[in-house]
Amino acid sequence: MAIPLTLSVNGEAYTVAAEPADTLLDVLRDKLRLTGTKKGCNVGDCGACTILVDGEAMNSCLLLASEMQGKSITTIEGLAKDGKLTPVQKAFVEEGGIQCGFCTPGMVMSATALLNTNPDPSDDEIKEALSGNMCRCTGYTGILRSVKRYKRHSGECTCKQEEPASKDAGKPKYDSVGVSIPRVDAADKVTGRATYTADVSLPNMLYGKILGSPIAHGRVKRIDTSKAEALPGVVLVITGADVTDTMYGVSPARYDEHVLAKEKVRHVGDEVAAVAAIDEKTAEKALTLIEVEYEELPAVFDPMTAIADGAPQLHDQYKNNVNTHVDHTFGDIEKGFAESHHVREETFTGNNVYQSPMEPHASVATWDNDGTLVLYSSTQVPHYVQYMMAHVLHIPLGKVRVIRPTVGGGFGGKAATSPLDLCAAILSQKTGRPVKMIYSREEMFHYGRGRHKQHMKFKLGVDRDGKIKAFKSEIHLDGGAYSSFGVATAYYAGSVVPTLYHFPAYKFDGYRMMTNKPACGAMRGHGVPQPRFAFECLLNMVADDLGIDPIEIRRRNAMTPNTLTVNEMDVGSCEFRATLDATCNKSSWNEKYGELPPGKGIGVGSGGFVSGAGYCIYRGQVQLSHEKPREHFQKRSIFPHANAIVKISEDGMAAVLLIGAAEIGQGSDTVLTQMCAESLGIPVSRMRIRSEDSDISPLDLGAYSSRVTLMAGHAVSRAAVDVVDKMKPYAAKLLDCQEEDVEARNGKMFINPKRDNPSRDRKGADNCCSDSAEAARCKGAAHDNPNRNRKGADTTIDDSRTIPWEEVARQYFNDNGPLVGTGCYKPPDGLGGDYKGSTVGTSPAYSFGTSVCELSVDLETGKVKVERFTDYHDCGTPINPQAVHGQVEGAIVMGASETIMEDVQFDEKGQILNPNLHGYLQMTIKDAPEIFSGIVDSYEPRGPFGAKEIGEGSTLPVLGAVAHAIANATGVWIKDLPITPEKILKGLKCVPGPGTMHER
Amino acid sequence: MYVPDIKLHNATTLEEAGGTLARYAPSVRLLAGGTDLLVDLKTGRATYDHLVSINRIETLRGLDENANELRIGALTTVTQLGSAPVVRERFSPLLDATSKMAAPQIRNVATVGGNIAAAVPCADLPPILTAMNASVALWLSGDERTVPLHDFFTGPRETILRDGELLTAALVPKPPPGFGATYARFGMREGNTIAVAAVAASLLLDSAGTVQDARIILGAVAPIPKMVKEAGDALIGQKADDDSFGAAADIAMKAAEPISDVRGSADFRRELVAVLTKRALTTARDRAKETL
Ligand SMILES: Cc1cc2nc3c(=O)[nH]c(=O)nc-3n(C[C@H](O)[C@H](O)[C@H](O)COP(=O)(O)OP(=O)(O)OC[C@H]3O[C@@H](n4cnc5c(N)ncnc54)[C@H](O)[C@@H]3O)c2cc1C
Ligand code: FES
Ligand code: FES
């Protein structure tokens, strides 16, 4: 029974009716609508719900609201006074302490509690104070920096502090590009204003929950929903019988999931029924009242067992549970091994890693009166969600409006349409009311879509000098119960291995297997990190065998620019060697490797990734997919992958960039804004970006395959150039000059007759549209580099011959109405070879990077402390260096964490043993290493302003570097992930002693 | 993930709390910080119909030192315990536990009484308190009894508490000269994680460095915080050196009754017990020597 409560929050007294068992968190969020305080786990593990009670930091999810009467509560909304951020808030904004922002309110509250009592904390004190706040994005580096430097932000001055001592090669050539401006969304995130999907509340809204299967494999015999329906507050219960027969998934060739189980359940947590009720608690209770009778079937959990004859079959269509088989041979593999001086064969095993974004998945669905579905979804791929909703619900894509509120991290876990999206839409359609659904932390693990655990058998042959002659890879991927991204994952596991080193001959045999566990999907580095880990380890072993330095062996095999790899991947710019040299120098590798005492280790790993997939996941046009016959695949994109509109306000003072690219914390809104401003010739401060609503912004394929900077960047710059081109006749008239001589920059238009093309604009590389008819449509953009009329920051402007940018825009508006530019981007035609599966791994450009890890191992307990990372990356031109470093720092901590501690564990019945943030271990700020991140000078002709990717590639060198450093410290190679203290201790028992292995 | 419907009672006196406890037993629990209880209720690991909040019973708060002992009120938070000058100066081995446990947000709420009474095998305070010869004060219907802490636990989440009985304080005797204690704990990561194995050890040395008394208590590797009497006894009369510590560690390891779970196998935990015992004894000896 509800009781009246009086709470003092942020200095205001609130009286609300609440249940005695309501937590403070729920009252703050649901009753007081103070949604800045986040729910990340609900059981004290993550700190997203941190608030202050009488000045002390506490987790509001573990406080009963009724116990808080008479206390003074402060939430994130109560920090900034009169619209002014506190110094520590300002520091988070300007020092790169924020990415997705979901952890930010809690972090800031913990930092505030610390600084109130200890204004000059040491690094260790800061780490201790923030040790209960988990962040998945930043690697804690920017957060630590923000708290350390908060005093610098205490003055009235909001001017930028000097850049950290030039970490980055090259000088900025532009006004807005190559500059570390604060994120455009940082102020909203640091004050709790940013609205995530779970914060959305619509009038008359219901709450939904999904019932998951308690068993790993079985037939659904009978479902009785009557008791649940009878529970007061329950509005609707649906089961498999109430949903369409249309299946969904990710790869069109393998749509194998029903919205709710039709006949079989295939893993614990597989969706069986869904409930809509007046609140979440009632919906949750209703789930316990649904009676389901199952006929339990034998289950299989191991891919090697699943492939055997007689193993339980998950799906009829995948014989022997083989979901995907890849059989690729390039070059003469037998000859390669025969000619090798040294051949080594090893097996490696990966782990079940989960993306674990701090924001749980959420969806809110409602239907407009005209039959349009409006879906708010915490997604990385609004377009694919739109496409899949249209497919499953049998409505035109045009009738689906997807709104992507602020997203609290994805890492691939939000890269597909979720059961929440589908169930919310169906429940809303059937009840006529908005429906909100949020996963609990446990449900997130049951939904899965994490990294595939891979069982890898590798064989590497090299000549006397360590040059690779042949490489053979056989991989079994544990796919879980459905296809999801898995077809692509299986191909990626093979195709992005040869982009780093020259392989004269390469054979890849890949099997993606079905097992009775949650489906695996695409996680940061999609399919590649585990093979990359294994390959880097094997290469280091071979280097040791031959007495060659591990960095040297990489130099000898390193990919070179403008190479078609053995599997026909088209590598353009490549500064891989520069990353090796820079990392070697910066880390003092030569002085340390082989010279450290037992228990101290140093190791190296390299990696690289695609800058956007060359092809769309579904290959056809944008149309109703279930009406569509499978189209014959041609090696070109049918429609542009990224599209942008730039709209100038009528007074010419503001530019609004409309693009569907998904900001999920990685910073795409910021870098796209920067590129747009640069190409428009106005300062970033005059820009706004609207990327969250498919009704407002044109199609972009979304945040996956590290595609946004390159692809959306092109579309944005082209749209901006389109605007400037429209303004030029007016400017030329006002300036009395030739149109070609007009340049726009810094909010001015002026004459620049000596304009010339930037010397690095390599020819023919930049391709907007693949045929001339389409080129005409993507007007103003074809074959132009967006920076074509830039000379560099040192251009001097003759003030007597300038006019305000806005004046020209107004003149345009007076004559023509709206000043709008459009732009789009299609990957180049013809990417990839002519063999089956040749499209996976294709990309306009590839990134490269090298990491050196230093750590210590407690040789008695096996405990690893990762101490330091030195990393250099070739990401092309960094659009925002601080954002690049933020991606690297986050990737290093995530990668190191998955190397030594992360693993979703199952029991013999397929139950997850650790579906929470205390059992599934991720690094805290106290575990995170010190990180040096550097960027090597590089320019990619196919990228906007020369840019490539950083988001996923940055993960790839990490795993191998950590494993190598552990081997270096202990003398033992641990070849199965995660490398836990227990495995290290076991390994230590089998070797003569630490330090022996690398003695040469 | 909601706390199910419960009846919440507010007690302002021990009598009220005890009375309500007795009336609704067994489906009733005291609510202190709630960091343990609310997680159990939300995850469905336990269900109760009634909770009795003791947070308004002021007599349960705070620290009180007299000539012989430190009395730690049950509602003292872990943060308060760890920052109290008396603890930092005269009962500093407790800091080994308070500083490693959970995270600030939890420590600011978690109470000493809750950490003991929850009787979770991996709880951080019971081992070091036991090593320091602590007792607990238990209150039932107006009477207070004092029980050595190592006799308090009967099993995982089970204690000798009777219906209607509350834990009011932990009592720690003042360490004599020659006494040294410490708590060594192994967690799977550096921050915010529970112990996978832990050892608290104390030594009482005479001026020649010979062991007069020794205690070794294991955390997280047995159904209860386990005092290994034989390991302590084996040290008595011995020199406090690596040999005797090694022998004691061996006994401690054999006495451990660990389980295998997601954090590690039983074998791994046994190995940790041996290492941690040696380390704890070494620190305890060094600390004991400082007081001589
Ligand atoms: C994220 C997280 C991390 C944690 N990490 C650690 C850790 O590292 N180490 C550790 O030891 N613990 C840890 N804990 C557990 C917990 O925080 C502690 O055990 C805490 O001290 C419990 O105290 P409380 O006041 O919150 O207890 P409550 O939850 O209020 O109570 C716990 C139990 O004790 C009973 N009880 C409480 N007070 C009394 C009393 N005076 N008399 C009789 N019975 C009483 C209650 O009825 C209940 O059954 C963690 C918990 C969380 C959520
Ligand atoms: S939501 Fe409270 S700690 Fe995670
Ligand atoms: S910024 Fe910390 S979780 Fe995303």
Side-chain angles (χ1 to χ4, degrees):
Chain A
M1 200 193 57
I3 47 166
L5 291 184
T6 303
L7 297 174
S8 162
V9 182
N10 302 328
E12 313 267 350
Y14 293 87
T15 302
V16 291
E19 298 287 331
D22 282 349
T23 61
L24 179 60
L25 176 60
D26 288 336
V27 169
L28 288 172
R29 288 181 54 82
D30 299 341
K31 303 249 154 79
L32 306 187
R33 301 287 314 133
L34 293 171
T35 53
T37 306
K38 303 299 178 200
K39 190 188 276 189
C41 72
N42 210 10
V43 288
D45 294 323
C46 75
C49 66
T50 304
I51 46 95
L52 306 187
V53 178
D54 296 334
E56 287 192 346
M58 297 183 186
N59 290 324
S60 57
C61 69
L62 292 185
L63 297 172
L64 293 186
S66 54
E67 294 282 290
M68 293 295 115
Q69 299 190 86
K71 301 191 188 275
S72 165
I73 296 160
T74 312
T75 69
I76 189 72
E77 290 90 349
L79 291 189
K81 293 276 181 298
D82 307 325
K84 279 212 192 85
L85 303 184
T86 64
V88 76
Q89 282 180 309
K90 247 194 244 168
F92 268 78
V93 169
E94 294 186 5
E95 301 283 357
I98 302 172
Q99 289 186 23
C100 80
F102 198 78
C103 71
T104 308
M107 286 285 179
V108 170
M109 296 316 287
S110 286
T112 301
L114 168 73
L115 299 174
N116 283 344
T117 53
N118 180 0
D120 293 297
S122 66
D123 282 16
D124 282 347
E125 286 170 328
I126 297 171
K127 289 182 187 176
E128 183 58 49
L130 302 183
S131 64
N133 294 82
M134 309 227 57
C135 175
R136 195 61 161 163
C137 304
T138 63
Y140 303 102
T141 319
I143 291 170
L144 181 63
R145 185 167 57 232
S146 302
V147 182
K148 273 167 78 161
R149 296 189 182 169
Y150 84 102
K151 281 195 175 164
R152 293 193 191 180
H153 302 268
S154 54
E156 288 303 297
C157 158
T158 52
C159 51
K160 264 209 65 63
Q161 299 288 336
E162 81 282 8
E163 279 293 298
S166 77
K167 284 195 200 179
D168 313 316
K171 288 188 276 323
K173 297 176 181 61
Y174 311 103
D175 300 315
S176 304
V177 157
V179 187
S180 293
I181 62 161
R183 297 176 62 99
V184 295
D185 52 5
D188 277 349
K189 287 176 172 174
V190 85
T191 51
R193 274 179 59 158
T195 306
Y196 296 77
T197 305
D199 305 335
V200 170
S201 184
L202 300 177
N204 203 26
M205 188 168 78
L206 298 172
Y207 293 78
K209 271 281 163 199
I210 297 175
L211 178 69
S213 163
I215 59 169
H217 200 188
R219 254 176 250 290
V220 180
K221 306 295 284 182
R222 184 185 65 90
I223 306 186
D224 182 352
T225 58
S226 56
K227 287 199 184 111
E229 281 156 2
L231 182 72
V234 171
V235 178
L236 181 68
V237 183
I238 56 171
T239 68
D242 304 307
V243 299
T244 157
D245 285 337
T246 304
M247 307 233 256
Y248 75 103
V250 175
S251 301
R254 310 266 201 294
Y255 287 166
D256 53 16
E257 295 183 67
H258 281 119
V259 177
L260 295 169
K262 286 276 178 192
E263 187 215 349
K264 267 175 82 169
V265 289
R266 296 183 176 86
H267 66 90
V268 173
D270 208 355
E271 298 81 15
V272 174
V275 173
I278 51 160
D279 56 33
E280 199 177 39
K281 188 171 172 177
T282 306
E284 217 178 78
K285 201 185 279 177
L287 295 184
T288 64
L289 299 174
I290 299 174
E291 291 169 10
V292 189
E293 194 186 310
Y294 298 95
E295 174 196 334
E296 200 164 346
L297 298 170
V300 60
F301 304 111
D302 172 55
M304 311 307 227
T305 319
I307 203 166
D309 286 334
Q313 294 288 301
L314 274 84
H315 299 260
D316 295 340
Q317 68 269 38
Y318 308 130
K319 290 281 164 278
N320 282 54
N321 295 311
V322 179
N323 170 248
T324 305
H325 178 213
V326 190
D327 179 8
H328 282 167
T329 307
F330 308 101
D332 191 338
I333 189 87
E334 296 311 326
K335 184 164 157 265
F337 283 119
E339 289 176 356
S340 293
H341 163 71
H342 177 58
V343 176
R344 185 157 175 172
E345 195 167 356
E346 295 284 349
T347 53
F348 299 87
T349 315
N351 43 347
N352 293 300
V353 180
Y354 181 51
Q355 292 91 350
S356 200
M358 293 321 296
E359 180 212 18
H361 305 62
S363 308
V364 181
T366 183
W367 292 76
D368 283 348
N369 288 329
D370 69 351
T372 303
L373 166 65
V374 183
L375 180 71
Y376 298 75
S377 178
S378 167
T379 181
Q380 313 179 212
V381 286
H383 172 69
Y384 288 119
V385 170
Q386 194 184 21
Y387 181 86
M388 199 48 66
M389 299 309 289
H391 167 74
V392 175
L393 300 173
H394 301 202
I395 53 177
L397 184 116
K399 281 292 197 184
V400 183
R401 175 181 174 199
V402 173
I403 300 175
R404 174 202 51 77
T406 310
V407 175
F411 314 106
K414 296 174 182 166
T417 305
S418 76
L420 297 183
D421 294 329
L422 292 160
C423 288
I426 293 168
L427 288 169
S428 172
Q429 189 173 35
K430 290 184 191 282
T431 58
R433 294 169 67 171
V435 174
K436 169 148 113 182
M437 302 183 75
I438 310 169
Y439 273 149
S440 68
R441 189 55 59 174
E442 182 172 348
E443 289 166 340
M444 290 169 75
F445 280 90
H446 284 133
Y447 167 56
R449 320 286 146 158
R451 230 194 249 315
H452 288 68
K453 175 174 180 153
Q454 302 189 32
H455 301 256
M456 298 161 283
K457 200 163 137 197
F458 280 14
K459 184 172 165 188
L460 181 62
V462 297
D463 71 11
R464 214 170 278 282
D465 299 324
K467 287 197 68 156
I468 295 165
K469 302 291 285 179
F471 173 58
K472 191 173 147 202
S473 153
E474 185 189 309
I475 300 182
H476 288 79
L477 297 93
D478 189 349
Y482 296 100
S483 290
S484 181
F485 275 92
V487 183
T489 318
Y491 281 96
Y492 265 120
S495 66
V496 186
V497 179
T499 61
L500 207 55
Y501 306 106
H502 288 282
F503 289 178
Y506 174 44
K507 178 166 170 50
F508 172 56
D509 229 348
Y511 300 86
R512 184 190 189 259
M513 304 302 307
M514 307 304 279
T515 56
N516 291 107
K517 293 188 281 194
C520 293
M523 177 172 165
R524 201 175 201 172
H526 196 181
V528 195
Q530 293 184 3
R532 175 55 62 205
F533 146 79
F535 186 87
E536 295 298 296
C537 287
L538 184 55
L539 189 62
N540 287 333
M541 293 174 185
V542 164
D544 272 346
D545 293 343
L546 298 181
I548 302 174
D549 179 85
I551 292 185
E552 180 54 29
I553 203 170
R554 286 174 169 73
R555 286 195 192 99
R556 291 180 192 174
N557 289 289
M559 186 51 57
T560 41
N562 305 317
T563 305
L564 197 62
T565 67
V566 68
N567 58 343
E568 296 180 65
M569 301 297 153
D570 181 8
V571 173
S573 67
C574 170
E575 299 298 335
F576 180 30
R577 282 204 189 146
T579 71
L580 286 163
D581 293 340
T583 312
C584 181
N585 292 337
K586 182 76 195 172
S587 66
S588 306
W589 172 267
N590 293 335
E591 288 87 79
K592 292 177 184 163
Y593 186 67
E595 307 297 329
L596 300 176
K600 290 272 176 199
I602 185 167
V604 63
S606 296
F609 202 58
V610 300
S611 299
Y615 298 93
C616 174
I617 291 176
Y618 64 92
R619 297 283 157 68
Q621 316 178 37
V622 180
Q623 67 182 73
L624 208 60
S625 60
H626 70 269
E627 286 178 352
K628 180 176 63 176
R630 291 278 294 286
E631 287 168 39
H632 178 65
F633 175 63
Q634 299 162 342
K635 282 207 288 182
R636 63 182 191 81
S637 296
I638 295 176
F639 62 91
H641 291 195
N643 301 275
I645 299 171
V646 175
K647 179 171 158 277
I648 309 302
S649 68
E650 289 71 10
D651 67 351
M653 289 305 290
V656 186
L657 167 58
L658 313 179
I659 181 154
E663 168 65 68
I664 59 171
Q666 84 284 39
S668 63
D669 274 3
T670 305
V671 296
L672 295 177
T673 298
Q674 287 178 264
M675 288 189 267
C676 191
E678 186 67 43
S679 296
L680 283 172
I682 58 171
V684 168
S685 56
R686 290 211 211 162
M687 291 281 321
R688 285 197 298 277
I689 180 166
R690 295 264 66 82
S691 60
E692 71 280 8
D693 187 338
S694 66
D695 264 13
I696 296 174
S697 304
L699 181 159
D700 178 272
L701 290 181
Y704 69 99
S705 76
S706 279
R707 56 176 292 289
V708 176
T709 302
L710 189 147
M711 299 194 181
H714 268 308
V716 160
S717 291
R718 286 166 180 163
V721 168
D722 190 24
V723 167
V724 174
D725 283 347
K726 286 179 175 167
M727 292 166 74
K728 279 188 175 171
Y730 291 83
K733 213 152 92 197
L734 289 165
L735 290 164
D736 192 18
C737 70
Q738 298 291 312
E739 272 181 43
E740 312 83 85
D741 293 339
V742 173
E743 189 169 329
R745 185 136 182 207
N746 256 330
K748 298 194 178 77
M749 296 196 95
F750 57 94
I751 307 173
N752 185 15
K754 292 191 302 294
R755 166 180 69 85
D756 54 15
N757 284 324
S759 56
R760 311 186 73 174
D761 188 1
R762 290 180 205 161
K763 257 177 55 196
D766 184 52
N767 177 17
C768 164
C769 298
S770 42
D771 62 59
S772 51
E774 299 215 11
R777 261 181 284 139
C778 312
K779 52 185 175 148
H783 310 292
D784 286 339
N785 198 296
N787 50 342
R788 62 186 168 155
N789 51 8
R790 279 279 173 276
K791 262 196 69 183
D794 50 354
T795 312
T796 44
I797 299 174
D798 177 357
D799 273 341
S800 64
R801 313 202 64 191
T802 72
I803 40 165
W805 199 95
E806 59 274 18
E807 180 55 35
V808 184
R810 277 196 293 268
Q811 297 263 338
Y812 180 94
F813 176 68
N814 291 346
D815 284 4
N816 305 284
L819 174 52
V820 173
T822 65
C824 65
Y825 175 82
K826 268 186 182 183
D829 284 354
L831 290 177
D834 290 321
Y835 57 91
K836 182 173 179 244
S838 63
T839 57
V840 182
T842 58
S843 178
Y846 295 84
S847 70
F848 301 88
T850 300
S851 276
V852 164
C853 169
E854 292 169 76
L855 49 72
S856 58
V857 180
D858 181 333
L859 297 173
E860 286 186 319
T861 63
K863 188 154 167 173
V864 173
K865 176 77 183 91
V866 181
E867 288 165 348
R868 197 168 306 105
F869 251 88
T870 309
D871 180 281
Y872 274 90
H873 240 81
D874 163 10
C875 60
T877 305
I879 305 297
N880 181 325
Q882 188 180 67
V884 169
H885 298 312
Q887 288 297 301
V888 170
E889 290 156 355
I892 285 174
V893 171
M894 187 186 261
S897 185
E898 73 176 272
T899 312
I900 65 171
M901 59 176 80
E902 301 189 17
D903 198 17
V904 180
Q905 298 185 39
F906 295 85
D907 71 7
E908 68 286 355
K909 300 287 274 177
Q911 302 281 349
I912 301 180
L913 294 167
N914 52 350
N916 49 55
L917 295 177
H918 51 270
Y920 183 82
L921 297 167
Q922 299 165 200
M923 282 187 168
T924 69
I925 192 169
K926 286 170 83 176
D927 299 273
E930 185 189 309
I931 296 168
F932 175 89
S933 157
I935 303 167
V936 298
D937 197 13
S938 169
Y939 186 93
E940 171 53 54
R942 279 180 177 167
F945 303 97
K948 297 195 275 191
E949 76 89 35
I950 191 66
E952 298 186 73
S954 44
T955 301
L956 290 157
V958 179
L959 286 71
V962 175
H964 186 208
I966 291 173
N968 184 244
T970 60
V972 192
W973 276 104
I974 309 292
K975 296 181 290 175
D976 60 329
L977 298 173
I979 305 176
T980 58
E982 182 162 2
K983 290 179 193 167
I984 292 174
L985 275 196
K986 261 199 199 121
L988 278 170
K989 290 201 183 121
C990 313
V991 293
T996 53
M997 195 179 70
H998 295 297
E999 280 170 15
R1000 302 197 294 269
Chain B
M1 288 294 269
Y2 286 85
V3 178
D5 296 328
I6 39 153
K7 182 112 183 63
L8 181 66
H9 308 265
N10 282 314
T12 47
T13 62
L14 289 172
E15 285 74 13
E16 250 182 277
T20 318
L21 266 186
R23 184 159 347 120
Y24 295 110
S27 191
V28 58
R29 279 295 180 279
L30 295 181
L31 175 73
T35 59
D36 198 73
L37 195 54
L38 295 183
V39 175
D40 279 0
L41 288 169
K42 281 187 181 186
T43 57
R45 193 159 53 202
T47 44
Y48 308 109
D49 296 330
H50 300 268
L51 295 187
V52 186
S53 168
I54 51 174
N55 288 304
R56 290 165 193 79
I57 308 180
E58 290 304 322
T59 53
L60 292 177
R61 288 187 190 283
L63 300 168
D64 190 15
E65 189 190 20
N66 65 27
N68 303 320
E69 65 183 14
L70 174 69
R71 184 182 168 99
I72 306 167
L75 285 182
T76 308
T77 65
V78 174
T79 300
Q80 285 162 356
L81 183 67
S83 54
V86 42
V87 174
R88 303 194 80 88
E89 283 155 28
R90 288 183 291 284
F91 296 85
S92 57
L94 293 175
L95 302 177
D96 296 340
T98 58
S99 65
K100 298 272 163 48
M101 169 176 167
Q105 294 98 316
I106 301 288
R107 298 199 291 260
N108 289 339
V109 180
T111 66
V112 173
N115 195 260
I116 299 169
V120 175
C122 65
D124 284 313
L125 288 173
I128 185 63
L129 285 168
T130 308
M132 297 180 79
N133 302 328
S135 327
V136 282
L138 308 179
W139 184 98
L140 177 66
S141 318
D143 293 326
E144 193 170 278
R145 59 171 172 152
T146 303
V147 179
L149 183 53
H150 67 87
D151 291 336
F152 178 71
F153 304 102
T154 54
R157 297 173 188 272
E158 282 171 25
T159 69
I160 59 169
L161 281 174
R162 295 165 288 180
D163 288 348
E165 195 166 33
L166 289 83
L167 189 157
T168 50
L171 312 168
V172 194
K174 200 166 262 185
F179 182 87
T182 192
Y183 179 62
R185 138 201 230 277
F186 184 92
M188 295 299 285
R189 64 180 177 199
E190 300 291 318
N192 197 10
T193 191
I194 60 166
V196 172
V199 176
S202 65
L203 290 172
L204 183 65
L205 303 182
D206 66 14
S207 50
T210 307
V211 178
Q212 303 293 300
D213 195 10
R215 287 186 163 214
I216 292 167
I217 295 91
L218 313 183
V221 292
I224 57 169
K226 180 164 182 174
M227 182 144 90
V228 189
K229 197 164 173 327
E230 318 81 78
D233 289 350
L235 285 165
I236 295 174
Q238 304 283 312
K239 278 260 160 286
D241 59 16
D242 289 353
D243 288 346
S244 63
F245 292 172
D250 214 40
I251 301 174
M253 181 174 81
K254 292 194 178 109
E257 314 161 47
I259 54 162
S260 294
D261 68 9
V262 287
R263 293 181 183 83
S265 72
D267 282 345
F268 175 57
R269 286 188 154 99
R270 262 185 224 106
E271 284 188 65
L272 288 175
V273 166
V275 175
L276 295 174
T277 304
K278 270 183 262 177
R279 291 182 181 179
L281 285 169
T282 307
T283 308
R285 175 194 60 200
D286 296 347
R287 286 181 176 171
K289 284 193 169 160
E290 280 169 25
T291 69
L292 284 171

